[in-house]
Amino acid sequence: MNIIPKQVLDLAAKYIGYKEKASNKDLYSFEGNAGKGNYTMFQHELDAARFWNNSKQGYEWCTSFVAWCFWRLCGNVEAKRILCLTGDYGAGCVSWVRYYKQAGRFFDSPKVGDQFFKKGNDGQPCHTGIVTSVDAMTFTTVEGNAGNMVDTRRYMNPEGYRAETKELIELGFKGYGDQRGLYVTEDMLRCMIINLRMCKALIAAVPGIDKAALLEEFKRSLKLTVEVE
C-alpha cells in the first residue's frame, strides 16, 4: 500500500492534545486518567498487533507514536519497511537511528513527513517525532511523549543553522567550545544569529553607515578576534 506524507500528518494531527495515562485505563480518552505512567492507546494497539518484539505499554512512547501513525495506515509489514524496522527490533531511538544509517536513509536535512531524532545531553538519540513543516531556519514536528502528551514542537533547521553558524565562525566565533573555554548552548547561539541578522539589516538599511565599525562592534560584543574584510 502506498501512502503519502499528508496521510501520516493528517492522522498524527488528530491526536494533538492526547495525554498519556497514569495507568492502563481510559486509553482512548484524550483527557481521562492523565498522568505519567506511560500508558497510551498507541502502545496498546501496537502490542495487540505484535508490532514490537515485546510489550511497550508503560514505557516511554515517542517511538510508538511514530510507529503507530504508519502502522494504522498500512499495517505491520509495510510500516516496518517504510520505517526501516525490518528485523526483530525494539523501540529505542539509538537502535532506530542505526537501522536508518545501515539502510542509507539517514539524512541531515529535514523534509515534511520525515521521522526526526533529537539528541540527548550525551549526544545519543533520545526522542523522535514526525516533521510537519520546514522553512529556511526552522522545522516543526508532531511528537508523542512531548510533555506527556502528543504535541507540536519547533526546532532550528540544520541547513539554515549551519549557514549562519558558518558566517559567525568566519567572523571569529570558535564553535561550541572556543579558546576561552566557553560552552555555548543552542539558545546562546540562536541569540548570536539574531544579533548577526540585526547587524546585517542595519548595514543594508542605513545610508552611509560605517560597515567596518559596525562589524567591529559586533565582534567586540561577542569577544571575537579575527579580522573582517
Side-chain angles (χ1 to χ4, degrees):
M1 176 182 179
N2 293 323
I3 61 173
I4 60 175
K6 185 178 185 302
Q7 290 174 276
V8 178
L9 299 181
D10 286 349
L11 178 61
K14 290 179 180 179
Y15 291 89
I16 293 172
Y18 175 93
K19 296 180 179 179
E20 76 174 68
K21 310 308 174 188
S23 62
N24 197 21
K25 176 185 174 184
D26 296 331
L27 297 180
Y28 290 89
S29 169
F30 264 55
E31 299 283 343
N33 194 29
K36 298 181 180 181
N38 286 313
Y39 288 87
T40 70
M41 60 169 284
F42 313 112
Q43 297 184 126
H44 171 72
E45 293 192 356
L46 291 177
D47 285 353
R50 299 184 182 277
F51 186 88
W52 301 118
N53 56 7
N54 50 52
S55 175
K56 302 302 178 185
Q57 191 70 291
Y59 292 89
E60 293 184 355
W61 52 282
C62 61
T63 51
S64 287
F65 177 70
V66 172
W68 181 90
C69 289
F70 286 84
W71 167 83
R72 188 68 178 80
L73 289 168
C74 56
N76 276 11
V77 174
E78 184 65 5
K80 288 181 179 182
R81 185 193 68 79
I82 293 170
L83 297 170
C84 284
L85 295 172
T86 54
D88 184 24
Y89 300 125
C93 288
V94 173
S95 296
W96 209 338
V97 166
R98 185 166 64 248
Y99 308 145
Y100 273 115
K101 288 182 176 179
Q102 289 172 350
R105 290 176 53 199
F106 190 81
F107 305 99
D108 292 332
S109 303
K111 294 182 180 179
V112 172
D114 282 353
Q115 182 178 4
F116 97 104
F117 294 89
K118 182 179 178 180
K119 290 182 179 179
N121 293 332
D122 61 357
Q124 294 297 311
C126 68
H127 185 69
T128 188
I130 304 170
V131 177
T132 59
S133 67
V134 180
D135 61 31
M137 289 303 300
T138 64
F139 66 96
T140 59
T141 62
V142 58
E143 306 170 11
N145 207 18
N148 308 116
M149 62 188 296
V150 178
D151 206 353
T152 60
R153 293 287 187 269
R154 183 181 295 272
Y155 300 96
M156 294 291 289
N157 185 340
E159 283 299 317
Y161 193 63
R162 278 194 293 270
E164 294 202 85
T165 302
K166 181 176 182 292
E167 192 165 357
L168 282 170
I169 290 171
E170 289 171 349
L171 286 170
F173 174 61
K174 302 300 181 184
Y176 281 88
D178 67 4
Q179 77 278 10
R180 291 171 287 136
L182 174 65
Y183 176 75
V184 181
T185 67
E186 184 173 322
D187 285 341
M188 293 167 66
L189 185 55
R190 187 180 293 112
C191 288
M192 291 181 186
I193 288 173
I194 291 171
N195 287 334
L196 177 60
R197 289 181 192 164
M198 292 173 63
C199 181
K200 291 162 66 178
L202 280 171
I203 290 172
V206 180
I209 195 168
D210 189 336
K211 175 181 177 180
L214 187 57
L215 284 172
E216 284 300 322
E217 179 59 32
F218 176 75
K219 286 169 56 182
R220 280 194 297 274
S221 71
L222 297 180
K223 298 182 174 62
L224 303 179
T225 57
V226 300
E227 294 300 320
V228 178
E229 295 182 359

